[in-house]
Amino acid sequence: MIREEPSVKIRLIQEKIATNLGFHISYRKAWKAKQKAIVKVFGNWEELYAFLPRWLDYMLRFSPGSSYKLDLRDHFIDGCLDQAYKVFKRVFWTFKQCCDAFNYCKPIIQINGTHLYGKYRGTLMFVTAVDGNNYILPIAFAIIFGENIDNWSWFLALIRIHVTQKHRICLISDRHPGILSVVNNVDLGWAPPQAYHVYCLRHVGSNFNHKFKNVMLKKQLKKLGYTTSRMDFDAGLDKFKEPSPQIAAWIDRIQKEKWSIAYDEHGRRFGHMTTNLSECVEKVLKGARNLPIISGADRLR
């Protein structure tokens, strides 16, 4: 069961054992059994973290031109530096084949992060592109602990160094404060005219509904984002603001070109209003989120 679907729910394991063996085990026992099965099938968590530098070197050997960046930190025991060990901090990698393919894709990328589960938690970050036939192309990955300004700066800077130096790229993302801070830093290569940052319309709608708890207006907001006529958009926006000054103030704080296709004057979004491409990749990687680091990374090749 674990070999076929590492993300299998604990309750399904309980049901399988009850049906096949006639035993009713607790949730905790089923969880422990799942962790032991993952180790048996996919490897030991600590050993695979220790093997990570060698795995990355193998990647360069068998995929020449690929790149990675592994950050480690010092290991301390009782306040004393232990020279024999280093502790994993974060890792970035990209494959040359993906970088080369991006040269023939639309000049847009979508970035997203998904939580990792298992013994050691973290976040898997990835960049997704799309070609002229709307085929999805993942082009870079990273594993970090925490979506903060430092990690987003590190990740997006490495994309500029190792993946692409294209100008006028359209970057589609949610409105995470870490990302907003990065794109405002001209030294990192994500500010205009080098790149243009726009928002995922679905996330804008979710942010609105989280604050105002109005599903109907949320749907109206998303419909506005897809409205191509400026005259219709402006009329619809005025109507959207009518319920309250608070709603009007909230939407006015977001630049129209960040979330509406009507104000995408130069067609930088190519009609892509959400990060759905990244969401598709996230679903494909669902099983990898429950595995030790090397086993999970193997599924991204």
Side-chain angles (χ1 to χ4, degrees):
M1 187 186 300
I2 295 298
R3 191 189 304 276
E4 294 175 359
E5 183 51 71
S7 61
V8 62
K9 300 291 185 182
I10 301 299
R11 298 204 179 277
L12 182 57
I13 296 175
Q14 291 176 293
E15 291 174 8
K16 280 281 188 179
I17 292 175
T19 301
N20 297 338
L21 302 176
F23 292 103
H24 296 275
I25 64 172
S26 67
Y27 186 94
R28 181 171 178 78
K29 283 186 178 180
W31 184 88
K32 286 185 175 181
K34 178 181 178 179
Q35 303 314 308
K36 289 182 178 180
I38 287 176
V39 171
K40 186 173 182 179
V41 175
F42 296 103
N44 178 275
W45 291 84
E46 289 77 15
E47 290 176 358
L48 289 179
Y49 265 102
F51 186 74
L52 181 60
R54 194 179 304 175
W55 182 89
L56 292 167
D57 287 337
Y58 283 149
M59 180 189 77
L60 298 187
R61 180 190 299 181
F62 292 103
S63 181
S66 299
S67 305
Y68 76 82
K69 173 69 173 176
L70 175 62
D71 280 1
L72 306 173
R73 56 185 175 85
D74 291 330
H75 181 232
F76 291 89
I77 299 179
D78 297 329
C80 297
L81 177 63
D82 184 356
Q83 299 281 4
Y85 296 97
K86 293 288 185 179
V87 178
F88 174 85
K89 182 179 180 182
R90 56 194 179 186
V91 61
F92 166 95
W93 73 98
T94 182
F95 301 106
K96 183 179 186 299
Q97 296 89 336
C98 296
C99 298
D100 290 344
F102 181 59
N103 292 324
Y104 304 94
C105 291
K106 300 174 185 178
I108 61 172
I109 61 172
Q110 300 181 11
I111 56 175
N112 208 343
T114 183
H115 295 295
L116 298 177
Y117 303 103
K119 187 172 182 178
Y120 299 110
R121 302 300 176 94
T123 302
L124 171 64
M125 306 163 79
F126 51 92
V127 184
T128 309
V130 60
D131 67 12
N133 295 319
N134 287 325
Y135 288 118
I136 299 172
L137 175 71
I139 55 177
F141 305 92
I143 294 176
I144 52 95
F145 291 99
E147 293 186 59
N148 52 41
I149 293 175
D150 177 56
N151 282 328
W152 275 117
S153 299
W154 174 82
F155 182 50
L156 287 169
L158 289 174
I159 293 170
R160 274 308 196 191
I161 295 170
H162 297 292
V163 178
T164 181
Q165 289 78 44
K166 276 185 180 181
H167 277 223
R168 303 188 183 281
I169 289 179
C170 180
L171 170 65
I172 306 175
S173 78
D174 61 18
R175 298 165 64 213
H176 191 283
I179 301 175
L180 295 178
S181 175
V182 172
V183 298
N184 290 328
N185 186 339
V186 295
D187 295 329
L188 294 178
W190 293 104
Q194 293 173 294
Y196 297 87
H197 182 219
V198 296
Y199 304 148
C200 168
L201 180 58
R202 184 170 54 80
H203 280 92
V204 174
S206 296
N207 293 155
F208 171 83
N209 193 54
H210 180 74
K211 183 173 181 63
F212 295 102
K213 305 293 189 298
N214 192 318
V215 175
M216 294 303 296
L217 278 181
K218 171 189 173 182
K219 292 180 179 178
Q220 186 178 335
L221 177 62
K222 293 173 71 175
K223 184 178 179 180
L224 272 174
Y226 282 103
T227 301
T228 54
S229 165
R230 276 201 184 183
M231 185 170 62
D232 291 343
F233 173 87
D234 290 339
L237 185 59
D238 289 339
K239 186 176 180 181
F240 176 82
K241 295 177 183 179
E242 288 177 358
S244 74
Q246 291 78 17
I247 289 177
W250 186 89
I251 195 62
D252 283 341
R253 283 196 293 269
I254 308 176
Q255 296 169 287
K256 297 173 184 176
E257 61 268 24
K258 297 289 189 180
W259 64 277
S260 69
I261 197 168
Y263 279 83
D264 183 21
E265 294 184 0
H266 302 283
R268 295 190 176 100
R269 303 183 75 126
F270 286 83
H272 293 275
M273 299 302 297
T274 67
T275 55
N276 283 353
L277 299 177
S278 295
E279 302 293 338
C280 291
V281 175
E282 182 177 342
K283 289 181 180 179
V284 172
L285 302 178
K286 183 179 178 181
R289 296 187 299 169
N290 296 269
L291 301 179
I293 189 165
I294 298 296
S295 300
D298 272 338
R299 294 197 167 200
L300 306 180
R301 291 184 300 173

